[in-house]
Amino acid sequence: MNGPFDGGRNGDRGGPDEPEDVRGIPRIPGQRTAADDLDPPAADVLRRAVESHARAARAAEPSREREEPEEPDATDEADEAAGVDSGAGVDSGTGPDAPPDPDPDVSPGTPREPAHPPDPDRERDMTGGRDPYAPPPPRQPAEPVGPPPPHSVLKSLLGAWALAACSPEETTHVENHLTECAPCADEALKLRDAVGLLQADRNLDLPPLLRARVLENCLDRRAARIPVPAWATPYDAETARLDALLRDFGDAEWHAPLQLRWFEKEERTARRATVAGVIGHLMTVDGLVASALGLDDPLGEPAPLSPTDRTEAFWRSAHPPPTRTIREPWRDQSHTLIRTVSFAGRGVAELSVPYGEFALPLRDAMIDRAFECWIHGVDIADAVDYPYPPPSGPHLHVMIDLAAQLIPSALAARRRAGLASPAQQLVVPGSPGRSLHLEVEGAGGGNWYIALDSPAAVGTAERGVAQVALDGVEFCQLVAGHISPEEAAAGQDGDREAIRDVLFAAASLSRL
């Protein structure tokens, strides 16, 4: 029967156009909606609702044969015309149209197994060949309606497009525009590359030699008006590296315990300290250079000259123990030393810096301070489990060269103390004498000839009686007292007694 609500279609209870699996579902009349008024998404939603309720009906009525209704009523025909399934809004267990319970002995909440499992092929026929249980295919974005925005608007959207923040319609307009406008296409590629740099998984640690490369590049383009002397650049670089390590330390790191190690007479010695205590030690020993330049001594006046005595005096007077506040005065002092030697001119390089029992020229003292800053930087980095690479090759070379020059004097001092073998061939000062060939490998390495019998003699290859080969970093660790002489030499050849004397003399250069 055709009525005013059915749109010329059959009723909802078994008309010839109704799928067999949907027959028998109770419906309520709904508002008439023309089929042309339904947009594709709404139609898809309604179609999926009908399919869902069809499956629910089959599961709820497994043992009852679905019956064809004799006459569809007008309200059901109107609901069919609107395409709305009212089963979701009506209690199917009540009312005159409710089907009887096939098993009254089973409680309503008990799940039942369907008598006839659903047929996927049959359901696939109802959905146009698509699997009803598969997720719906993604909808393709519709083409934008209307003319594209002007060039200025599209250009302003390039940043949002690179970040994938445009709407689908804006994205289509922008991408269509990029195929026609070469300047905007170039800018879009640059913005897309810039977005790639915003990734958060990159390593934030700067390369250790970045500062040196930047400064070198800047100085190549324009030389400094007042340059830092070459013999002061290792100290400048090592204090900057250590300050970069300390900059982000928290309170726990400043109080991290560590051991200061050095070689004394015939055995290794250690002393417990903290990171803050080590920075105080560096500051007080740098005070020897500051005093020689006429600057303020951090210990005041009078103050001892021995590095060990100065450090002990500072630690005794530091109450409470040093904290992170020690970093700023240490860094200010290092900056002042670099500025002072840069403005002082060439003659300052030979200024004597007393170390108690011995003295060094200012140029050698600055290299010595750079060496100790690096060695204690390694101690601090090990205490907080952080990598700390060695200095650059040129800086490491000047440190090794200074140690090689000091070995003959250290060997003579050990000989006077009865800790080394006696001299065998005394020569006129400045003449070649017995020598040991020290071959240092790796970055900063080279060849040195150590005079064995007198500091005034000259080491030469012709008078060589022994040879020792070491890695550059291992040689510096030996000079710092971090490894023993027995562990240092990688290769030995020649006079064993001369080799032992030189290795122990190198280790004796270490101190607190």
Side-chain angles (χ1 to χ4, degrees):
M1 177 177 102
N2 295 335
F5 298 102
D6 66 354
R9 298 172 59 188
N10 292 311
D12 64 344
R13 297 206 181 195
D17 296 335
E18 187 75 5
E20 180 181 353
D21 293 338
V22 186
R23 297 171 185 170
I25 301 177
R27 304 175 182 267
I28 61 173
Q31 182 179 2
R32 182 181 183 278
T33 304
D36 295 337
D37 295 338
L38 295 176
D39 57 356
D44 291 343
V45 172
L46 293 177
R47 178 175 52 78
R48 287 195 294 270
V50 171
E51 296 169 4
S52 175
H53 285 292
R55 290 193 296 270
R58 290 195 306 272
E61 304 177 20
S63 61
R64 185 174 63 87
E65 294 292 337
R66 297 180 176 85
E67 299 178 356
E68 295 286 336
E70 296 179 359
E71 290 291 339
D73 57 8
T75 57
D76 293 334
E77 293 172 357
D79 184 55
E80 175 67 18
V84 178
D85 188 352
S86 62
V90 177
D91 185 0
S92 61
T94 59
D97 296 333
D101 191 344
D103 190 359
D105 296 334
V106 180
S107 60
T110 303
R112 303 184 182 91
E113 293 292 333
H116 303 284
D119 185 0
D121 295 334
R122 190 174 185 181
E123 295 184 6
R124 194 173 290 110
D125 293 339
M126 297 173 57
T127 58
R130 183 179 60 84
D131 187 355
Y133 299 101
R139 297 181 64 246
Q140 298 296 331
E143 289 293 328
V145 180
H151 177 273
S152 59
V153 175
L154 294 173
K155 185 176 181 180
S156 67
L157 291 174
L158 293 180
W161 172 84
L163 293 169
C166 289
S167 65
E169 185 175 354
E170 291 173 339
T171 301
T172 304
H173 280 308
V174 170
E175 292 178 351
N176 291 339
H177 177 69
L178 295 181
T179 62
E180 302 173 355
C181 181
C184 288
D186 292 340
E187 184 174 355
L189 290 177
K190 294 177 181 178
L191 292 173
R192 180 65 60 87
D193 294 340
V195 170
L197 299 177
L198 300 178
Q199 298 176 0
D201 57 349
R202 295 179 178 269
N203 186 5
L204 299 181
D205 292 335
L206 297 178
L209 300 181
L210 177 61
R211 180 177 184 273
R213 290 199 301 267
V214 172
L215 290 177
E216 181 180 2
N217 183 58
C218 294
L219 294 176
D220 288 342
R221 293 176 179 271
R222 185 180 65 180
R225 185 168 60 90
I226 302 178
V228 177
W231 43 267
T233 54
Y235 178 79
D236 184 21
E238 292 308 311
T239 52
R241 283 210 305 153
L242 181 55
D243 182 62
L245 174 65
L246 301 174
R247 186 177 294 117
D248 297 328
F249 273 16
D251 293 337
E253 286 84 1
W254 281 99
H255 294 287
L258 54 87
Q259 280 193 337
L260 299 179
R261 296 167 291 170
W262 70 97
F263 192 83
E264 191 169 304
K265 293 184 179 180
E266 298 292 328
E267 58 185 12
R268 297 167 63 183
T269 307
R271 172 71 183 271
R272 292 182 60 86
T274 63
V275 171
V278 172
I279 299 302
H281 160 64
L282 291 175
M283 183 181 67
T284 56
V285 182
D286 286 352
L288 292 172
V289 181
S291 298
L293 291 171
L295 303 175
D296 293 337
D297 191 330
L299 292 182
E301 295 293 343
L305 295 179
S306 169
T308 301
D309 294 341
R310 291 175 66 86
T311 302
E312 295 289 353
F314 172 78
W315 285 344
R316 287 194 304 266
S317 62
H319 295 290
T323 61
R324 64 189 312 157
T325 57
I326 195 66
R327 171 179 168 261
E328 185 173 352
W330 165 75
R331 193 64 176 125
D332 290 343
Q333 179 180 257
S334 64
H335 283 149
T336 303
L337 290 177
I338 295 169
R339 285 194 300 268
T340 303
V341 299
S342 300
F343 280 93
R346 297 180 179 178
V348 74
E350 302 302 326
L351 183 66
S352 179
V353 178
Y355 277 75
E357 298 179 355
F358 62 96
L360 291 175
L362 180 61
R363 62 185 306 147
D364 291 345
M366 293 294 289
I367 297 174
D368 170 75
R369 302 313 307 142
F371 176 82
E372 188 167 359
C373 186
W374 163 47
I375 292 298
H376 289 318
V378 174
D379 293 335
I380 293 173
D382 290 343
V384 297
D385 194 20
Y386 196 85
Y388 202 78
S392 63
H395 293 173
L396 190 61
H397 180 82
V398 297
M399 296 177 187
I400 296 173
D401 182 69
L402 175 61
Q405 295 177 21
L406 296 177
I407 288 178
S409 298
L411 178 57
R414 286 179 56 83
R415 186 175 288 123
R416 290 192 297 269
L419 300 176
S421 61
Q424 297 183 13
Q425 298 177 5
L426 296 177
V427 297
V428 178
S431 300
R434 286 194 320 133
S435 306
L436 178 139
H437 179 199
L438 175 62
E439 182 181 359
V440 179
E441 303 171 346
N447 295 277
W448 287 266
Y449 294 92
I450 311 299
L452 297 174
D453 295 324
S454 172
V458 177
T460 61
E462 292 76 12
R463 299 294 304 274
V465 297
Q467 181 179 1
V468 175
L470 298 93
D471 177 73
V473 174
E474 289 185 353
F475 176 74
C476 291
Q477 291 176 340
L478 171 65
V479 174
H482 282 203
I483 60 176
S484 65
E486 293 83 359
E487 301 170 343
Q492 303 178 7
D493 183 33
D495 190 337
R496 297 295 178 179
E497 189 175 55
I499 293 173
R500 180 185 183 279
D501 288 343
V502 168
L503 293 179
F504 274 83
S508 68
L509 294 174
S510 63
R511 60 179 183 272
L512 174 61

